Amino acid sequence: MIGRLEELCWRWRWCLGLLWLGIAASLPMWGLSRVQLRLILMIALYAMLGMGLDLLVGDTGLVSLGHAGFYALGAYGCALLQVRLGWSFWAALAGAGVLTAGVGLLLGLPSLRLSGSYLSIVTLGFGEIVQMVLRTWESLTGGNYGLRGIPRPTLFGLELTLANGGLPALALILATLTALFCRRLRRSAPGRALRAIRDDPLAAQMCGIPVPRWKIAAFVLSALITGLAGGFYSAVNGYLEPTNFPFNTSVVILSVVVIGGAGTVRGAVFGAALVQLLPQVFRGLEQWRFALYGLLLVLVMRFRPQGVLGWRSRVSYRLPGKEGQCTYPAKG
Amino acid sequence: MYLSCQGLTMAFGGLTALNDVSFQMEQGEILGLIGPNGAGKTTVFNLLTGVYVPQAGVMTFRDRDLGRLSPRRRVRAGICRTFQNLRLFSGQSVLENVLAGSCLRADYGFFDMVFGTPRYFRRERALGREAMALLEKLDLTPYAHSPAGALPYGLQRRTELARALATGAELLLLDEPAAGMNEEEAEALGKVLRALREEGKSLLLIEHHMSLVLSLCDRVCVLDRGRVLAQGPPGEATADPKVAAAFLGGGREYAGS
Amino acid sequence: MTLSSAVNGFLGAILGGLALGMAYGLIAVGYSLVFGILRLVNFAHGAIYALGAYGVFFLTSRGMGLLPALILAAPLSGLGAWAVEKWALAPLRRRGASGMAQLVTTVGVSFLVQNTLSAEAVFGSEKQVFPSLNAFGSVQVFGVTIQSSQIIMFLAAMGLLLALTWLVQGTRLGLAMRACAQNFRAARLVGIPVEAVVGLTFFLGGACAAIAGTLIGGYYQVISPTMGSLIGLKAFSAAVVGGIGVLHGAVAGGLVVGVGECLAAQYLGSNVRDPMAFVLLIAILLVRPRGLFGREGVEKV
């Protein structure tokens, strides 16, 4: 059944895409409440964060526990470029992306020497160090007092806010672009190279894949996407403080990836929705909701360790191109 | 000279795996590398492909010094290998494995990919077609979409061969391609390998299947305890009493057919 | 600042760091033993540490003495850790799930335990005052004041670590543990009850963490439900710095991290204190990718 569904989605992908675009663009006109709009925005944002981390975790097999660090760098970078240098939001967002990608390059370097859990720990340390820098460098970041007065982004003179639906729409667009990018990457030679490295680095190297280069590239791309999400988050929040980016955030981003199913866009979207909706659903239980959230993580892993939507695609590999149809029928 | 190894020496800690090993290979030749277990055959492959760096010795391929090339550049130069204990990307399908092998020939830029330029689509389509053609040639088409790790052993070996071929290599280093096969399957493999030679590929192969070695190889190079014991046409080299002693004597077990 | 006060400050930081570092070592062995066998970073370990401290807190607030409370709470925390392995992790291993799934499971457990502790109906999220370890005030050594809590922490942790070393190096159980760490599948094949060994390893790690929680809680005289997350990360860094899977490495790593952070707090400011463990971690891993005492493995092709 899943195979049929995938096949249908593939056949009607252009229509689905247009439909999705319509939904995203008309979001401001739906008359949703602020709470609902914020929820949509946060789901889109976490889907984006999840997809960014997924490039490392799902595709390259490198588990990062420090993505809150990239998230924070993107947020602070974007905010500071606006507040201190007077850049426009869009320029600052791009600048923040470049900044985090550069830091991603630096953090990728240890991945050439360290493997598996050792690398995870270095990324974890990275996240903590970013927090320390944000706390300590008071003249730049405002330290523990935080950074206030971050302007809202404007588009053609119109200020994008939560209330007018502009920010959620922007979130959906950013998440969609990220999803398209990830999908394209996975269907291309670079994506195949990353998966080869994930499954067997030595065999990948013996196939002529430049393992160090692609590991670093994965870090850079992952950091770039996470940094852009961070920049966007700074615009949403309007103020920033170091406690916005604790280790728990890194864990939540990782949960987004793993709960839905690593290496897939649908998994990231599902994981993001779950992570954001659960606290809402369990709101009635007030003090117990985070405990339940932990329990749910355990249960999902216990009964579906590959992730809730982590099935192996039943639709065969497709060659890209205009004829894009299912070139070779799936077996079985 | 096509491929030449001169004085290769490699020691791990106190254990000398290779001691002054020299051999040469002509283009289009099938050279068998045989010898008892632990003779250092796989180490030769590891040196040729750049997994290890030899302590001494020179390797050249088409008169280029391999020692100066990274593992990746050696594949680019045209040398690719398979593994004794299969190293497939076992969670991925057979087709994906082969496509992983052809990654290095995807000569489009990052921006071609992001923006989907005609060049990108042209190259990706070409790679896909080549991969399918390769599967067809190795009789793997029915399994194209099966996870490689779930296939029977013989098919996995062929998938690994397909992956190595997908890199576009012209010199294939095959590490026991017939291991675990019965006579019939080994015979079929022999046919495939001969066909590859007809296409102009050169093969350096480690093999314990003596009947395959004798029928397939133009020459063999016998290694024992890290030294070259004998070289020459298969009949002559294996007739050497020293070789017989190495294989049968010394209480060592010979794991051939 | 006079020379002598500078020297005293330095010595004080070193001695305080050694005491704290020994307790870190006690937590770190839990990470190290589990990682050695399962190649798994057990993020639930920090929560077990907090659980142990809260267990002692609960019992002492009901009028029990500190030591009897600890003797009761430590095995109970060990059982908690054992249950996590038995009910959440072992089934995953049987299914052959990825390491990532196991990692996320331990993260989930840590969320569950921490947030249960901080629920209002249980202990609440506020900090609680913990009974002090200061049994006999403080002593003066070369003009440096040492709290008795520091001495107790150092000696207790060292005693336990010595006992643990004896257990791992000198008993049949330890032999089984080392066999599992070396080759899990081979250990199973030669008839070692690997699941029981893993369970016991979790139990030991959990009990040690609970004791460390009591020692550190008594040293700072304050506990909170989230006390385990940061210290857990530091202790894990310590385990990696020392060379994970190596018992004396965990202790050495703990001492390095403890002294490092006390020196950092003394000379670079208190903001630098907590991240110091990670700075040390990255610096040492870059120079020695397997940690101070870790062994380099050669991959067979």
Side-chain angles (χ1 to χ4, degrees), chain A residues 57-58 63 65 110 113-115 117-118 121-122 124-126 128-129 132 135-136 138 144 202 247-248 251-252 254-255 258-259 262 287-288 290-295 297-298 301-306, chain C residues 35 39 41 43 87-88 91-92 95 97-98 100-101 103-105 107-109 111-112 115-116 119-122 230 233 236-237 240 244 271-272 275 278-279 281-282 285-287 289-291 299 301:
Chain A
V57 174
V63 179
L65 293 172
R113 289 199 61 182
L114 305 171
S115 57
S117 303
Y118 289 88
I121 299 310
V122 169
L124 190 158
F126 160 77
E128 295 298 316
I129 289 167
M132 172 188 80
R135 276 181 210 289
T136 323
E138 282 186 12
N144 286 326
L202 182 75
F247 171 64
N248 278 0
V251 172
V252 170
L254 183 67
S255 318
V258 180
I259 287 181
Q287 45 171 329
W288 295 102
F290 283 111
L292 269 171
Y293 176 46
L295 186 64
L297 268 182
V298 175
M301 286 303 108
R302 170 79 168 72
F303 295 105
R304 244 188 114 68
Q306 75 275 43
Chain C
F35 187 93
R39 302 285 177 274
V41 182
F43 277 95
W87 302 113
L92 281 184
R95 290 179 62 149
S98 68
M100 226 180 332
L103 191 100
V104 173
T105 297
V107 170
V109 170
F111 252 68
L112 177 62
N115 288 298
T116 305
E120 290 308 321
V122 187
L230 184 62
L233 295 181
F236 186 77
S237 308
V240 177
I244 198 153
N271 266 335
V272 188
F278 307 108
V279 175
L281 170 77
I282 292 179
L285 277 189
L286 286 178
V287 183
R290 302 269 156 183
E299 194 187 9
V301 180

Side-chain angles (χ1 to χ4, degrees), chain A residues 4 22 63 76 104 156 241 265-266 327:
Chain A
R4 294 283 309 228
V63 179
Y76 268 90
F156 307 123
E241 51 188 21
V265 168
R266 59 172 185 268
T327 320

Side-chain angles (χ1 to χ4, degrees), chain A residues 5-327:
Chain A
L5 197 67
E6 280 190 337
E7 198 55 61
L8 280 176
C9 287
W10 176 256
R11 191 159 298 147
W12 296 98
R13 65 194 185 283
W14 293 111
C15 302
L16 286 174
L18 279 176
L19 186 69
W20 176 244
L21 204 68
I23 293 174
S26 65
L27 197 67
M29 289 159 247
W30 283 30
L32 296 171
S33 74
R34 281 180 68 95
V35 174
Q36 288 164 327
L37 282 171
R38 185 169 175 89
L39 199 59
I40 291 176
L41 182 148
M42 290 312 282
I43 290 175
L45 185 68
Y46 269 81
M48 193 171 163
L49 288 169
M51 287 184 275
L53 179 61
D54 207 1
L55 288 183
L56 272 184
V57 174
D59 290 283
T60 323
L62 306 169
V63 179
S64 163
L65 293 172
H67 261 48
F70 290 124
Y71 191 36
L73 279 180
Y76 268 90
C78 183
L80 287 172
L81 285 174
Q82 291 180 77
V83 174
R84 302 262 192 256
L85 298 181
W87 289 22
S88 79
F89 169 75
W90 304 100
L93 188 64
V98 172
L99 172 80
T100 43
V103 177
L105 182 82
L106 293 181
L107 192 63
L109 292 176
S111 76
L112 305 182
R113 289 199 61 182
L114 305 171
S115 57
S117 303
Y118 289 88
L119 182 70
S120 302
I121 299 310
V122 169
T123 58
L124 190 158
F126 160 77
E128 295 298 316
I129 289 167
V130 167
Q131 258 205 71
M132 172 188 80
V133 171
L134 294 179
R135 276 181 210 289
T136 323
W137 199 348
E138 282 186 12
S139 59
L140 185 72
T141 64
N144 286 326
Y145 299 106
L147 191 65
R148 276 158 214 287
I150 302 163
R152 301 272 178 208
T154 55
L155 191 64
F156 307 123
L158 175 75
E159 199 184 46
L160 303 178
T161 63
L162 196 60
N164 71 16
L167 283 177
L170 181 58
L172 288 182
I173 291 168
L174 284 175
T176 308
L177 289 177
T178 311
L180 288 175
F181 171 77
C182 290
R183 205 183 72 130
R184 170 61 59 79
L185 183 80
R186 289 188 177 127
R187 290 167 177 277
S188 309
R192 298 194 291 270
L194 293 183
R195 287 194 298 272
I197 292 170
R198 174 195 67 190
D199 284 359
D200 190 334
L202 182 75
Q205 193 185 30
M206 292 293 112
C207 287
I209 292 168
V211 176
R213 193 185 301 171
W214 279 120
K215 274 188 175 176
I216 289 184
F219 257 100
V220 169
L221 289 176
S222 180
L224 172 71
I225 293 173
T226 311
L228 291 177
F232 176 71
Y233 174 76
S234 76
V236 174
N237 231 21
Y239 75 95
L240 293 173
E241 51 188 21
T243 50
N244 289 353
F245 308 98
F247 171 64
N248 278 0
T249 305
S250 296
V251 172
V252 170
I253 302 175
L254 183 67
S255 318
V256 166
V257 173
V258 180
I259 287 181
T264 60
V265 168
R266 59 172 185 268
V269 175
F270 178 86
L274 198 75
V275 160
Q276 290 299 323
L277 286 174
L278 267 189
Q280 305 290 328
V281 174
F282 288 132
R283 177 148 292 193
L285 296 161
E286 214 47 67
Q287 45 171 329
W288 295 102
R289 63 183 173 149
F290 283 111
L292 269 171
Y293 176 46
L295 186 64
L296 201 92
L297 268 182
V298 175
L299 290 179
V300 168
M301 286 303 108
R302 170 79 168 72
F303 295 105
R304 244 188 114 68
Q306 75 275 43
V308 174
L309 303 185
W311 65 80
R312 217 190 127 70
S313 184
R314 310 281 161 84
V315 181
S316 54
Y317 183 86
R318 280 185 207 82
L319 305 177
K322 278 207 196 66
E323 67 260 48
Q325 72 283 39
C326 190
T327 320

Side-chain angles (χ1 to χ4, degrees), chain A residues 184 188-189 199-200 312 328 331, chain B residues 87 91-92 108 113 120 142:
Chain A
R184 170 61 59 79
S188 309
D199 284 359
D200 190 334
R312 217 190 127 70
Y328 304 103
K331 186 179 164 282
Chain B
R87 297 190 82 136
Q92 304 182 35
Y108 51 78
M113 181 191 82
Y120 163 79

Side-chain angles (χ1 to χ4, degrees), chain C residues 76 125 189:
Chain C
L76 282 178
S125 54
L189 286 177

